[in-house]
Amino acid sequence: MKRNLWLSLWLRTALAVAVVAVAALLLPRWGAWILVPLALAAASWVAWAVSRAVERGLRTLKPDVRKPHAEMPFEEFEELAAALDAEAAQQTRLFETTAEGQRKLEVLLDSMQDLVVAVDAAGRISWTNEPMRKLMSSSSGSVRIGQALVQTIREPEVLACVRIALEERTVAEREAVGFNTGRTYAVSAAPIAEGGAVVVLRDITRLEQMERTQKEFVANVSHELRTPLTSIMGYVELLIDDAHADAEMPAQTREFFDAILKNAQRMGRLTEDLLVMAKVDSGEQKMNPVPTRVPALLQEAVSAASGLLKDDARLEIAAMVDAEVMADTDAMMQVLSNLIENALNYGRGTHGSLVVMAAESVAGPPAMVKFSVRDFGAGIASEHRDRIFERFYRADKARSRESGGTGLGLSIAKHLVEFHGGSIWVESELGRGSRFCFTLPLASVRENTLPAEENASYN
């Protein structure tokens, strides 16, 4: 605006001077007196032009309020400034909200019983909650933000979980890790978006003590029950033999003896299962896997289960591979016996019980042999399949009480199979039966096929 104003003034002044000069050249003979009015007129005109230019410039700088809002200068800058002020206020509120949320989160984490520590991508401590600070201050002296986690926590299993979370970006867990403070913690390390990881330690010391006490109690009770139960069953069997020999003994007495023997045997099975589970938990269950032929393993299982077959029950071997697996024979007999007994008890249909066993090779690596025990009963609902291998869990409680099941057979089978390096699972469809499968590592496979008489049915 200033440039335009001065340019206008300069042009008008130059024009006035030019008019006076031309007049002086054209009218020399009139004398210098005539130049005076001309100069006064030119000066007046220049003054008038200057005043008009200044007035317009002032109106531009100070706009008329009577003009429309769209014609006011700098209005777009005022709108931009207002928008920037609003954005700044919103960012301030957002920052305050975030800070308040962070303070609440820290208070929440500090009030937790679990220990929480966050590390960056280099494994340096970036944040800890109050329980973690107390634990570390009592064991290692202090916890400083920015120091390496290994300087504060030296338990290898915890550091291994953190390494997996940082390098592999997956969640790593350990069920029980003992600290030098005498406490036991369940460890979980999970990656976070910034490239670090968060580690949560849950104190399970009391739970471990309770489980250990419970296991010891079960083991002791089972040992104490086995001796009197053996005596009861022995004496009842003698009484039953006498009852059958004595024709004058009432039939009701024989019925009572049979009921006593049946329930004593049921308690004996429960006691044996509890003892096996106690040995598995304590590590006392000694197993020695050796190369074992699959046909011999299945045939021995069939022979062992022959006493469970009733008039309307059948046990068949559909197919089996001629191979050798790494197995402890006694342990696998227990697994197969539990699966067969379950299939006979829960797989009963309208035409009796049919149990079909099979063994087939599974391509590796590693090379395995899959064993299966199938029944054609009512099947297992989907909500029970994930829990079917838990201790004392029963999908059909009514039939379990009727058949005398302990609820430990499948759990024992799971432990024994996993000890051998295999896995166990169930496939089932309601109304069409169930198939329990497990795998064992393959020792060797023979190319020759089985003789026809080995692949037979057993009744």
Side-chain angles (χ1 to χ4, degrees), residues 281-297:
D281 290 336
S282 63
E284 297 178 2
Q285 182 78 6
K286 303 301 181 182
M287 285 178 281
N288 182 30
V290 295
T292 305
R293 289 190 65 229
V294 173
L297 199 61

Side-chain angles (χ1 to χ4, degrees), residues 338-339 342 388-389 407-415 424 436:
N338 286 341
L339 296 181
N342 277 349
I388 200 70
F389 294 99
L408 289 172
L410 293 179
S411 180
I412 293 172
K414 181 176 184 293
H415 281 80
I424 187 169
F436 285 85

Side-chain angles (χ1 to χ4, degrees), residues 219-366:
N220 293 333
V221 170
S222 300
H223 278 292
E224 294 298 327
L225 286 176
R226 184 161 58 172
T227 300
L229 283 174
T230 302
S231 299
I232 292 173
M233 286 188 289
Y235 285 124
V236 170
E237 287 175 354
L238 289 176
L239 291 174
I240 291 176
D241 291 340
D242 292 341
H244 287 294
D246 188 358
E248 297 181 358
M249 183 171 291
Q252 189 177 22
T253 304
R254 299 191 189 97
E255 182 180 348
F256 289 163
F257 286 155
D258 291 337
I260 293 173
L261 180 61
K262 178 181 178 181
N263 285 280
Q265 291 173 344
R266 177 180 176 182
M267 291 185 66
R269 289 195 300 270
L270 174 59
T271 303
E272 292 298 326
D273 287 345
L274 290 174
L275 283 173
V276 172
M277 184 60 68
K279 290 180 180 179
V280 170
D281 290 336
S282 63
E284 297 178 2
Q285 182 78 6
K286 303 301 181 182
M287 285 178 281
N288 182 30
V290 295
T292 305
R293 289 190 65 229
V294 173
L297 199 61
L298 292 182
Q299 290 172 5
E300 186 174 350
V302 169
S303 299
S306 59
L308 301 174
L309 300 179
K310 299 179 181 179
D311 296 338
D312 56 353
R314 291 179 298 161
L315 177 59
E316 299 179 357
I317 299 178
M320 55 182 168
V321 64
D322 186 11
E324 285 186 338
V325 292
M326 298 300 298
D328 181 281
T329 303
D330 293 337
M332 287 303 103
M333 284 300 99
Q334 189 166 11
V335 172
L336 289 170
S337 297
N338 286 341
L339 296 181
I340 292 172
E341 186 175 0
N342 277 349
L344 291 173
N345 290 334
Y346 300 104
R348 184 175 300 276
T350 55
H351 301 291
S353 297
L354 172 62
V355 179
V356 178
M357 302 173 61
E360 56 185 328
S361 297
V362 179

Side-chain angles (χ1 to χ4, degrees), residues 116-128 132 143-150 152-153 158-159 161-163 165-166 169 189-200:
V116 183
V117 57
V119 298
D120 58 16
R124 296 185 297 264
I125 297 175
S126 58
W127 185 86
T128 61
M132 174 63 81
V143 178
R144 293 191 302 272
I145 302 300
Q147 73 178 7
L149 182 65
V150 67
T152 303
I153 299 178
V158 178
L159 299 177
C161 289
V162 176
R163 179 185 56 79
L166 291 176
R169 311 303 297 166
I192 54 180
E194 291 78 6
V198 59
V199 185
V200 179

Side-chain angles (χ1 to χ4, degrees), residues 150-186:
V150 67
Q151 297 177 357
T152 303
I153 299 178
R154 293 181 174 85
E155 280 68 19
E157 294 181 85
V158 178
L159 299 177
C161 289
V162 176
R163 179 185 56 79
I164 293 173
L166 291 176
E167 296 179 0
E168 302 180 11
R169 311 303 297 166
T170 58
V171 177
E173 297 178 341
R174 295 292 184 273
E175 292 184 357
V177 178
F179 276 55
N180 56 9
T181 59
R183 312 295 294 180
T184 304
Y185 295 90

